[in-house]
Coordinates of all heavy atoms in Angstrom, one line a residue:
M1 N 171.4 96.9 109.4 CA 172.1 96.6 108.1 C 171.4 97.3 107.0 O 170.3 97.0 106.7 CB 172.2 95.1 107.9 CG 173.4 94.5 108.7 SD 174.7 93.8 107.6 CE 173.8 92.8 106.5
S2 N 172.1 98.1 106.3 CA 171.5 98.7 105.1 C 172.5 98.6 103.9 O 173.7 98.7 104.1 CB 171.1 100.1 105.4 OG 172.2 100.8 105.9
S3 N 171.9 98.4 102.7 CA 172.7 98.3 101.6 C 172.9 99.7 100.9 O 172.0 100.6 101.2 CB 172.1 97.4 100.5 OG 171.6 96.3 101.1
I4 N 173.9 99.9 100.2 CA 174.1 101.1 99.5 C 174.0 100.8 98.0 O 174.7 99.8 97.5 CB 175.5 101.8 99.8 CG1 175.6 102.0 101.3 CG2 175.7 103.0 99.0 CD1 176.0 103.3 101.8
V5 N 173.2 101.6 97.3 CA 173.1 101.4 95.8 C 173.6 102.7 95.2 O 173.6 103.7 95.8 CB 171.7 101.0 95.4 CG1 171.3 99.7 95.9 CG2 170.7 102.1 95.8
K6 N 173.9 102.6 93.9 CA 174.3 103.8 93.2 C 173.0 104.3 92.4 O 172.3 103.6 91.8 CB 175.4 103.5 92.2 CG 176.7 103.1 92.9 CD 177.8 103.9 92.3 CE 179.2 103.5 92.9 NZ 179.5 104.4 94.1
C7 N 172.8 105.7 92.6 CA 171.7 106.3 91.8 C 172.0 106.0 90.3 O 173.1 106.4 89.8 CB 171.7 107.8 92.1 SG 170.6 108.7 91.0
P8 N 171.0 105.4 89.6 CA 171.2 105.1 88.2 C 171.5 106.4 87.3 O 172.0 106.3 86.3 CB 169.9 104.5 87.8 CG 169.3 104.0 89.0 CD 169.7 105.0 90.1
T9 N 171.0 107.5 87.8 CA 171.2 108.7 87.0 C 172.5 109.5 87.3 O 173.2 109.8 86.3 CB 170.0 109.7 87.3 OG1 168.8 109.0 87.1 CG2 170.1 110.9 86.5
C10 N 172.8 109.7 88.6 CA 174.0 110.5 88.8 C 175.1 109.7 89.5 O 176.2 110.2 89.8 CB 173.7 111.7 89.6 SG 173.2 111.3 91.3
Q11 N 174.9 108.4 89.8 CA 175.9 107.5 90.4 C 176.2 107.8 91.8 O 177.2 107.3 92.4 CB 177.2 107.5 89.5 CG 177.0 107.2 88.1 CD 176.3 105.9 87.8 OE1 176.6 104.8 88.4 NE2 175.2 105.9 87.0
K12 N 175.4 108.7 92.5 CA 175.7 109.0 93.9 C 175.2 107.8 94.7 O 174.3 107.0 94.3 CB 174.8 110.2 94.2 CG 175.2 110.9 95.5 CD 174.3 112.2 95.6 CE 173.7 112.2 97.0 NZ 172.9 113.4 97.1
D13 N 175.9 107.6 95.9 CA 175.5 106.5 96.7 C 174.2 106.8 97.4 O 173.9 107.9 97.9 CB 176.6 106.3 97.8 CG 177.9 105.7 97.3 OD1 177.8 105.1 96.2 OD2 178.9 105.8 98.0
V14 N 173.3 105.8 97.4 CA 172.0 105.9 98.0 C 171.8 104.8 99.0 O 172.0 103.6 98.7 CB 170.9 105.9 97.0 CG1 169.5 106.0 97.6 CG2 171.1 106.9 95.9
V15 N 171.5 105.1 100.3 CA 171.3 104.1 101.3 C 169.9 103.5 101.0 O 168.9 104.2 100.9 CB 171.3 104.6 102.7 CG1 171.1 103.5 103.7 CG2 172.7 105.4 102.9
W16 N 169.9 102.1 100.9 CA 168.6 101.4 100.6 C 167.8 101.3 101.9 O 168.0 100.3 102.6 CB 168.9 100.1 99.9 CG 167.6 99.5 99.4 CD1 166.7 98.7 100.1 CD2 167.1 99.6 98.0 NE1 165.7 98.3 99.2 CE2 165.9 98.8 98.0 CE3 167.6 100.2 96.9 CZ2 165.2 98.7 96.8 CZ3 166.9 100.1 95.7 CH2 165.7 99.4 95.7
Q17 N 167.0 102.2 102.2 CA 166.2 102.2 103.4 C 164.9 102.9 103.1 O 164.7 103.7 102.2 CB 166.9 103.0 104.5 CG 167.2 104.4 104.1 CD 168.0 105.1 105.2 OE1 168.4 104.6 106.2 NE2 168.3 106.4 104.9
P18 N 163.9 102.7 104.0 CA 162.5 103.3 103.8 C 162.6 104.8 103.6 O 161.8 105.4 102.9 CB 161.7 102.8 105.0 CG 162.4 101.6 105.5 CD 163.8 101.8 105.2
E19 N 163.5 105.4 104.4 CA 163.6 106.9 104.3 C 164.1 107.4 103.0 O 163.9 108.5 102.6 CB 164.6 107.4 105.4 CG 164.1 107.3 106.8 CD 164.1 105.9 107.4 OE1 164.8 105.0 106.8 OE2 163.3 105.6 108.3
S20 N 164.8 106.5 102.2 CA 165.2 106.9 100.9 C 164.1 106.7 99.9 O 163.9 105.7 99.2 CB 166.4 106.1 100.4 OG 167.5 106.2 101.4
E21 N 163.2 107.7 99.9 CA 161.9 107.6 99.2 C 162.1 107.3 97.7 O 161.2 106.6 97.2 CB 161.2 109.0 99.4 CG 159.7 108.9 99.0 CD 159.0 110.3 99.2 OE1 159.6 111.1 99.9 OE2 158.0 110.4 98.6
Y22 N 163.1 107.8 97.1 CA 163.2 107.7 95.7 C 164.2 106.6 95.3 O 164.6 106.5 94.1 CB 163.6 109.0 95.0 CG 162.6 110.1 95.4 CD1 162.8 111.1 96.3 CD2 161.3 110.0 94.8 CE1 161.9 112.0 96.6 CE2 160.3 110.9 95.1 CZ 160.6 112.0 96.0 OH 159.7 112.9 96.4
R23 N 164.6 105.7 96.2 CA 165.6 104.7 95.9 C 165.1 103.8 94.7 O 163.9 103.6 94.6 CB 165.8 103.8 97.1 CG 164.6 103.0 97.6 CD 164.9 102.3 98.9 NE 163.9 101.4 99.3 CZ 162.7 101.8 99.9 NH1 162.5 103.1 100.2 NH2 161.8 100.9 100.2
P24 N 165.9 103.4 93.8 CA 167.3 103.5 93.9 C 167.9 104.9 93.5 O 169.1 105.0 93.4 CB 167.8 102.4 92.9 CG 166.7 102.4 91.9 CD 165.5 102.7 92.6
F25 N 167.0 105.8 93.2 CA 167.5 107.1 92.9 C 167.8 108.0 94.1 O 167.2 107.7 95.2 CB 166.4 107.9 92.0 CG 166.1 107.1 90.8 CD1 165.0 106.2 90.8 CD2 166.9 107.1 89.6 CE1 164.6 105.5 89.7 CE2 166.5 106.4 88.5 CZ 165.4 105.6 88.5
C26 N 168.7 108.9 94.0 CA 169.0 109.7 95.2 C 168.0 110.8 95.4 O 167.8 111.3 96.5 CB 170.4 110.4 95.0 SG 170.4 111.6 93.7
S27 N 167.2 111.1 94.4 CA 166.2 112.2 94.5 C 165.1 112.1 93.5 O 165.3 111.3 92.5 CB 166.9 113.6 94.3 OG 167.4 113.6 93.0
K28 N 164.1 112.8 93.7 CA 163.0 112.8 92.7 C 163.4 113.3 91.4 O 163.0 112.8 90.3 CB 161.8 113.7 93.2 CG 160.6 113.6 92.4 CD 159.4 114.3 92.9 CE 158.2 114.0 92.1 NZ 157.0 114.6 92.7
R29 N 164.3 114.3 91.4 CA 164.9 114.8 90.1 C 165.5 113.7 89.3 O 165.2 113.6 88.1 CB 165.9 115.9 90.5 CG 166.3 116.7 89.2 CD 167.2 117.8 89.6 NE 168.1 118.2 88.5 CZ 169.2 117.6 88.2 NH1 169.7 116.7 89.0 NH2 169.9 118.0 87.1
C30 N 166.4 112.9 89.9 CA 167.0 111.8 89.2 C 166.0 110.8 88.8 O 166.2 110.2 87.7 CB 168.1 111.2 90.1 SG 169.6 112.2 90.2
Q31 N 165.0 110.5 89.6 CA 164.0 109.6 89.2 C 163.3 110.0 87.9 O 163.1 109.3 87.0 CB 163.0 109.4 90.3 CG 162.0 108.3 90.1 CD 160.9 108.2 91.2 OE1 160.4 109.3 91.6 NE2 160.6 107.1 91.6
M32 N 162.9 111.3 87.9 CA 162.2 111.9 86.8 C 163.1 111.9 85.5 O 162.6 111.6 84.4 CB 161.8 113.3 87.1 CG 160.7 113.4 88.2 SD 159.3 112.3 88.0 CE 158.5 113.1 86.7
I33 N 164.3 112.2 85.7 CA 165.2 112.2 84.5 C 165.3 110.8 83.9 O 165.2 110.6 82.7 CB 166.7 112.6 85.0 CG1 166.6 114.1 85.3 CG2 167.7 112.3 83.9 CD1 167.9 114.6 85.9
D34 N 165.3 109.8 84.8 CA 165.4 108.4 84.3 C 164.1 107.9 83.7 O 164.1 107.3 82.7 CB 165.8 107.5 85.5 CG 166.1 106.1 85.0 OD1 167.2 105.9 84.5 OD2 165.2 105.2 85.0
L35 N 163.0 108.3 84.2 CA 161.7 107.9 83.7 C 161.5 108.6 82.3 O 160.8 108.0 81.5 CB 160.6 108.2 84.6 CG 160.5 107.4 85.9 CD1 159.4 107.8 86.8 CD2 160.4 105.9 85.6
G36 N 162.0 109.7 82.1 CA 161.9 110.4 80.8 C 160.6 111.2 80.6 O 159.8 111.2 81.5
E37 N 160.6 111.7 79.5 CA 159.5 112.7 79.2 C 158.1 112.0 79.2 O 157.2 112.6 79.7 CB 159.7 113.3 77.8 CG 160.6 114.6 77.8 CD 159.9 115.6 78.7 OE1 158.7 116.0 78.5 OE2 160.6 116.1 79.6
W38 N 158.0 110.9 78.6 CA 156.6 110.2 78.5 C 156.1 110.0 79.9 O 154.9 110.2 80.1 CB 156.7 108.9 77.7 CG 157.5 107.8 78.4 CD1 158.8 107.6 78.3 CD2 156.9 106.9 79.4 NE1 159.1 106.5 79.1 CE2 158.0 106.1 79.8 CE3 155.6 106.7 80.0 CZ2 157.8 105.1 80.7 CZ3 155.5 105.7 80.9 CH2 156.6 104.9 81.3
A39 N 156.9 109.7 80.9 CA 156.4 109.5 82.2 C 155.9 110.8 82.9 O 154.9 110.8 83.6 CB 157.5 108.9 83.1
S40 N 156.7 111.9 82.6 CA 156.2 113.1 83.2 C 154.9 113.6 82.6 O 154.1 114.2 83.2 CB 157.3 114.2 83.1 OG 157.7 114.4 81.7
E41 N 154.7 113.2 81.3 CA 153.4 113.5 80.7 C 152.3 112.8 81.5 O 151.3 113.3 81.8 CB 153.4 113.0 79.2 CG 154.3 113.9 78.3 CD 153.6 115.2 78.0 OE1 152.4 115.2 77.8 OE2 154.3 116.2 78.0
N42 N 152.5 111.5 81.7 CA 151.6 110.7 82.4 C 151.3 111.2 83.8 O 150.2 111.2 84.3 CB 152.0 109.2 82.5 CG 151.9 108.5 81.2 OD1 151.2 109.0 80.3 ND2 152.5 107.4 81.0
N43 N 152.3 111.6 84.5 CA 152.2 112.1 85.8 C 151.3 113.4 85.9 O 150.5 113.6 86.8 CB 153.6 112.4 86.4 CG 154.2 111.2 86.9 OD1 153.6 110.2 87.2 ND2 155.5 111.2 87.1
R44 N 151.5 114.2 84.9 CA 150.7 115.4 84.8 C 149.2 115.1 84.7 O 148.4 115.7 85.4 CB 151.1 116.3 83.6 CG 152.2 117.3 84.0 CD 152.1 118.5 83.1 NE 152.6 118.2 81.7 CZ 153.9 118.1 81.4 NH1 154.8 118.3 82.3 NH2 154.3 117.8 80.2
I45 N 148.9 114.1 83.9 CA 147.5 113.7 83.7 C 147.0 113.1 85.1 O 145.9 113.4 85.5 CB 147.4 112.6 82.6 CG1 147.7 113.3 81.3 CG2 146.0 112.0 82.6 CD1 148.1 112.4 80.1
A46 N 147.8 112.2 85.7 CA 147.4 111.6 86.9 C 147.2 112.6 88.0 O 146.3 112.4 88.9 CB 148.4 110.5 87.3
Q47 N 148.0 113.6 88.0 CA 147.9 114.6 89.1 C 146.8 115.7 88.8 O 146.5 116.5 89.7 CB 149.2 115.3 89.3 CG 150.2 114.4 90.0 CD 151.6 114.8 89.9 OE1 151.9 115.9 89.5 NE2 152.6 114.0 90.4
S48 N 146.2 115.7 87.6 CA 145.2 116.7 87.3 C 144.0 116.5 88.2 O 143.4 115.5 88.3 CB 144.8 116.5 85.8 OG 143.6 117.2 85.6
P49 N 143.7 117.6 89.0 CA 142.6 117.5 90.0 C 141.3 117.3 89.4 O 140.4 116.7 90.0 CB 142.7 118.8 90.7 CG 143.4 119.8 89.8 CD 144.3 118.9 88.9
Q50 N 141.1 117.7 88.1 CA 139.8 117.6 87.5 C 139.3 116.1 87.3 O 138.2 115.8 87.5 CB 139.7 118.3 86.2 CG 139.7 119.8 86.2 CD 140.9 120.4 85.7 OE1 141.9 119.7 85.3 NE2 141.0 121.7 85.6
V51 N 140.3 115.3 87.0 CA 139.9 113.9 86.6 C 139.2 113.2 87.7 O 138.1 112.6 87.5 CB 141.2 113.1 86.3 CG1 140.9 111.7 86.0 CG2 141.8 113.7 85.0
S52 N 139.6 113.3 89.0 CA 139.0 112.6 90.1 C 137.8 113.3 90.6 O 137.1 112.8 91.4 CB 140.0 112.3 91.2 OG 140.6 113.5 91.6
E53 N 137.7 114.6 90.3 CA 136.6 115.4 90.9 C 135.4 115.6 90.0 O 134.5 116.3 90.3 CB 137.1 116.8 91.3 CG 138.0 116.7 92.5 CD 138.8 118.0 92.8 OE1 138.4 119.0 92.2 OE2 139.7 117.9 93.6
I54 N 135.4 114.9 88.9 CA 134.2 115.0 88.0 C 133.0 114.2 88.6 O 133.2 113.0 88.9 CB 134.5 114.4 86.6 CG1 135.5 115.4 85.9 CG2 133.3 114.3 85.8 CD1 136.0 114.9 84.6
S55 N 131.9 114.8 88.7 CA 130.8 114.2 89.3 C 129.8 113.7 88.2 O 130.0 114.0 87.0 CB 130.0 115.1 90.2 OG 129.5 116.2 89.4
E56 N 128.9 112.9 88.6 CA 127.9 112.4 87.6 C 127.2 113.5 86.9 O 127.0 113.5 85.7 CB 126.8 111.6 88.4 CG 127.2 110.2 88.8 CD 127.4 109.3 87.5 OE1 126.5 109.2 86.7 OE2 128.5 108.7 87.4
A57 N 126.8 114.6 87.7 CA 126.2 115.7 87.1 C 127.0 116.4 86.0 O 126.6 116.8 84.9 CB 125.8 116.7 88.1
D58 N 128.3 116.5 86.4 CA 129.3 117.1 85.4 C 129.4 116.2 84.1 O 129.4 116.8 83.0 CB 130.7 117.2 86.0 CG 130.7 118.3 87.1 OD1 129.9 119.3 86.9 OD2 131.6 118.3 87.9
L59 N 129.4 114.9 84.3 CA 129.4 114.0 83.2 C 128.2 114.2 82.3 O 128.3 114.2 81.1 CB 129.6 112.6 83.7 CG 131.0 112.2 84.2 CD1 130.9 110.8 84.8 CD2 132.0 112.3 83.1
D60 N 127.1 114.3 82.9 CA 125.8 114.5 82.1 C 125.9 115.8 81.4 O 125.6 115.9 80.2 CB 124.6 114.6 83.1 CG 124.3 113.2 83.6 OD1 124.8 112.2 83.1 OD2 123.5 113.1 84.6
K61 N 126.4 116.9 82.0 CA 126.5 118.2 81.4 C 127.5 118.0 80.2 O 127.3 118.6 79.1 CB 127.0 119.2 82.4 CG 125.9 120.0 83.0 CD 126.5 121.2 83.8 CE 126.5 120.7 85.3 NZ 127.2 121.7 86.2
M62 N 128.6 117.4 80.4 CA 129.6 117.2 79.4 C 129.1 116.4 78.2 O 129.3 116.8 77.1 CB 130.8 116.5 80.0 CG 132.1 116.8 79.3 SD 133.5 115.8 80.1 CE 133.5 116.6 81.7
E63 N 128.3 115.4 78.5 CA 127.8 114.6 77.5 C 126.8 115.4 76.6 O 126.8 115.3 75.4 CB 127.1 113.4 78.1 CG 126.9 112.2 77.1 CD 126.2 111.0 77.8 OE1 126.8 110.5 78.8 OE2 125.2 110.6 77.4
A64 N 125.9 116.2 77.3 CA 125.0 117.0 76.6 C 125.7 118.0 75.7 O 125.3 118.2 74.6 CB 124.1 117.8 77.6
F65 N 126.8 118.6 76.3 CA 127.6 119.5 75.5 C 128.2 118.9 74.3 O 128.1 119.4 73.2 CB 128.7 120.1 76.4 CG 129.6 121.1 75.7 CD1 129.2 122.3 75.4 CD2 130.9 120.7 75.4 CE1 130.0 123.2 74.8 CE2 131.8 121.5 74.7 CZ 131.3 122.8 74.4
L66 N 128.8 117.7 74.5 CA 129.4 117.0 73.4 C 128.4 116.6 72.3 O 128.7 116.7 71.1 CB 130.2 115.8 73.9 CG 131.5 116.1 74.7 CD1 132.1 114.9 75.3 CD2 132.5 116.8 73.8
T67 N 127.2 116.2 72.7 CA 126.2 115.8 71.8 C 125.8 117.0 71.0 O 125.6 116.9 69.8 CB 124.9 115.3 72.6 OG1 125.4 114.2 73.4 CG2 123.9 114.7 71.7
Q68 N 125.7 118.2 71.7 CA 125.4 119.4 71.0 C 126.4 119.7 69.9 O 126.1 120.1 68.8 CB 125.3 120.6 72.0 CG 124.9 121.9 71.4 CD 123.4 121.9 70.8 OE1 122.6 121.3 71.4 NE2 123.3 122.5 69.7
Q69 N 127.7 119.6 70.3 CA 128.8 119.8 69.4 C 128.7 118.9 68.2 O 128.9 119.4 67.0 CB 130.1 119.5 70.1 CG 130.5 120.5 71.2 CD 130.9 121.8 70.7 OE1 130.1 122.8 70.6 NE2 132.1 122.0 70.4
D70 N 128.4 117.6 68.4 CA 128.2 116.7 67.3 C 127.1 117.1 66.3 O 127.3 117.1 65.1 CB 127.9 115.3 67.8 CG 129.2 114.6 68.4 OD1 130.3 115.1 68.2 OD2 129.0 113.6 69.1
N71 N 126.0 117.6 66.9 CA 124.9 118.0 66.1 C 125.3 119.2 65.2 O 125.0 119.2 64.0 CB 123.7 118.4 66.9 CG 123.0 117.2 67.6 OD1 123.3 116.1 67.1 ND2 122.3 117.4 68.6
D72 N 126.0 120.2 65.8 CA 126.5 121.3 65.0 C 127.4 120.8 63.9 O 127.4 121.3 62.8 CB 127.2 122.3 65.9 CG 126.2 123.0 66.9 OD1 125.0 122.9 66.6 OD2 126.7 123.6 67.8
F73 N 128.3 119.9 64.3 CA 129.3 119.4 63.3 C 128.6 118.8 62.1 O 129.0 119.0 61.0 CB 130.2 118.4 64.0 CG 131.2 117.8 63.2 CD1 132.4 118.5 62.8 CD2 131.1 116.5 62.6 CE1 133.3 118.0 62.0 CE2 132.0 116.0 61.8 CZ 133.2 116.7 61.5
F74 N 127.6 117.9 62.4 CA 127.0 117.2 61.3 C 126.1 118.2 60.4 O 125.9 117.9 59.3 CB 126.2 116.1 61.8 CG 127.0 114.9 62.3 CD1 127.0 114.4 63.6 CD2 127.9 114.3 61.4 CE1 127.8 113.4 64.0 CE2 128.7 113.3 61.8 CZ 128.7 112.8 63.1
K75 N 125.6 119.3 61.0 CA 124.9 120.2 60.3 C 125.7 120.9 59.2 O 125.3 121.2 58.1 CB 124.2 121.3 61.2 CG 122.7 121.0 61.5 CD 122.2 122.1 62.4 CE 122.1 121.6 63.8 NZ 121.8 122.7 64.7
N76 N 127.0 121.1 59.5 CA 127.9 121.8 58.6 C 128.5 121.0 57.6 O 128.3 120.2 56.9 CB 129.1 122.4 59.4 CG 128.7 123.4 60.4 OD1 127.7 124.1 60.2 ND2 129.5 123.6 61.4
Ligands
ZN1 ZN1 171.0 110.9 91.6

């Protein structure tokens, strides 16, 4: 037994089952349209490979770099 729902974006019938990955939407496209621009911004950040691959050493380097930037800033 499976239910049928209507895609909130395009009103297409969507079978409510595990295979319908984007339910209640018929497709990823419709899901993205519904979530709107702010959500796609967030997704871009979440999918950015750099965020999860920053190591301790990189953080130290970054901190040293930012500290240097601050020093230059305050000198001017
Ligand atoms: Zn749709």
Side-chain angles (χ1 to χ4, degrees):
M1 277 245 309
S2 48
S3 316
I4 304 229
V5 295
K6 292 228 183 268
C7 170
T9 304
C10 70
Q11 309 303 310
K12 198 173 127 179
D13 287 342
V14 180
V15 182
W16 192 274
Q17 60 183 359
E19 287 76 16
S20 302
E21 193 182 342
Y22 302 108
R23 66 188 187 278
F25 303 95
C26 68
S27 64
K28 186 172 190 177
R29 186 177 159 271
C30 282
Q31 187 185 44
M32 294 312 287
I33 289 168
D34 190 78
L35 289 176
E37 271 302 306
W38 68 267
S40 56
E41 290 285 320
N42 286 344
N43 281 341
R44 267 205 290 280
I45 292 161
Q47 285 165 7
S48 169
Q50 284 116 356
V51 174
S52 57
E53 287 170 12
I54 291 175
S55 66
E56 281 293 308
D58 286 337
L59 284 174
D60 286 347
K61 264 185 263 172
M62 205 181 294
E63 200 177 302
F65 176 75
L66 289 173
T67 306
Q68 183 64 42
Q69 293 286 95
D70 283 346
N71 288 342
D72 288 346
F73 179 78
F74 286 121
K75 260 183 260 169
N76 294 333

